[in-house]
Amino acid sequence: ETGVTQSPTHLIKTRGQQVTLRCSSQSGHNTVSWYQQALGQGPQFIFQYYREEENGRGNFPPRFSGLQFPNYSSELNVNALELDDSALYLCASSSGTSGRVRNTQYFGPGTRLTVL
Amino acid sequence: DAKTTQPNSMESNEEEPVHLPCNHSTISGTDYIHWYRQLPSQGPEYVIHGLTSNVNNRMASLAIAEDRKSSTLILHRATLRDAAVYYCILRAYMDSNYQLIWGAGTKLIIKP
């Protein structure tokens, strides 16, 4: 059984640029959630995708967007990067019939984004 | 708003039990209590979750107060590999959907 993988591991961008982060779900999982984790803090929920549709969103602006593909892998896109976007971005997959946050989430190792 | 409060850090000796407290006084009747842990340089890992009754699994036990305003994660025999940040989380309904609301966590230090 393959776990959740994320790419790239590390990324450096400059303010105003755009970035795409990728996540491959654990086999058999149809739900993907994305989190932002600033240094020394707990993860903050960005949004969740269930069967290719966004079905939950946290308090993040529209420049944070995502996609989920038919194989349930996912992308997180961030436009117009700001310095405060520097963080660890975590992807988590889970399985369920409704995509609700009811089942155990399995996390990837994260992508460390630095915005200069 | 759903919120959890945990000590910033705790120390324990190896092979002794560890009790990690969490306060969630604003919990609502349908909010589940989840615990995850995050080892250094890794993504979070599920530990346990519950609603009202105490719960046990191979990793830990979860003791939930009768009024549900606090809970305690119990590691029965801590090892060096249990050194991590432990997050007490509420699964709450916010912004028209269910979310996991994370706090800042407790850094658990295990002394050999």
Side-chain angles (χ1 to χ4, degrees):
Chain A
E1 183 178 89
T2 305
V4 178
T5 60
Q6 293 186 243
S7 62
T9 306
H10 295 87
L11 199 54
I12 299 175
K13 291 285 189 178
T14 56
R15 196 170 47 183
Q17 285 189 310
Q18 177 266 343
V19 68
T20 297
L21 310 181
R22 294 179 174 83
C23 171
S24 291
S25 303
Q26 185 161 312
S27 177
H29 287 180
N30 54 19
T31 303
V32 172
S33 302
W34 284 91
Y35 293 85
Q36 180 194 66
Q37 186 175 25
L39 203 60
Q41 297 183 22
Q44 286 195 44
F45 175 69
I46 302 175
F47 45 57
Q48 177 176 282
Y49 278 82
Y50 171 64
R51 293 187 173 181
E52 302 178 58
E53 290 196 8
E54 183 181 300
N55 77 335
R57 190 176 184 93
N59 189 24
F60 279 80
R63 60 189 186 84
F64 285 79
S65 63
L67 283 173
Q68 187 181 30
F69 300 100
N71 65 356
Y72 301 134
S73 65
S74 177
E75 286 183 356
L76 164 66
N77 299 290
V78 187
N79 294 322
L81 284 167
E82 301 176 359
L83 297 179
D84 285 348
D85 295 333
S86 295
L88 181 69
Y89 287 85
L90 295 160
C91 161
S93 74
S94 58
S95 62
T97 55
S98 67
R100 294 286 178 85
V101 183
R102 178 177 293 119
N103 301 315
T104 299
Q105 295 196 324
Y106 295 85
F107 283 81
T111 294
R112 173 72 63 186
L113 173 64
T114 302
V115 182
L116 302 176
Chain B
D1 284 353
K3 182 181 173 181
T4 61
T5 304
Q6 301 174 253
N8 289 334
S9 65
M10 289 184 64
E11 287 189 1
S12 181
N13 294 318
E14 193 177 12
E15 298 188 7
E16 290 186 356
V18 180
H19 289 66
L20 296 166
C22 180
N23 287 319
H24 29 78
S25 58
T26 60
I27 193 170
S28 73
T30 58
D31 292 347
Y32 278 78
I33 302 158
H34 290 244
W35 284 81
Y36 280 72
R37 70 180 186 181
Q38 188 170 23
L39 279 66
S41 302
Q42 294 188 26
E45 171 189 35
Y46 170 80
V47 177
I48 201 167
H49 78 280
L51 183 62
T52 56
S53 305
N54 295 343
V55 184
N56 299 294
N57 66 20
R58 64 174 180 81
M59 287 183 70
S61 295
L62 176 60
I64 301 173
E66 196 169 333
D67 64 6
R68 301 209 325 123
K69 293 186 176 182
S70 65
S71 61
T72 301
L73 178 71
I74 303 165
L75 306 179
H76 295 286
R77 193 165 163 269
T79 69
L80 294 177
R81 290 183 300 175
D82 292 320
V85 178
Y86 286 77
Y87 292 98
C88 171
I89 303 156
L90 295 185
R91 191 209 72 166
Y93 193 76
M94 285 181 62
D95 297 325
S96 305
N97 58 83
Y98 285 98
Q99 300 181 27
L100 293 182
I101 311 300
W102 300 63
T106 296
K107 182 176 183 179
L108 177 63
I109 299 165
I110 304 296
K111 296 180 290 184

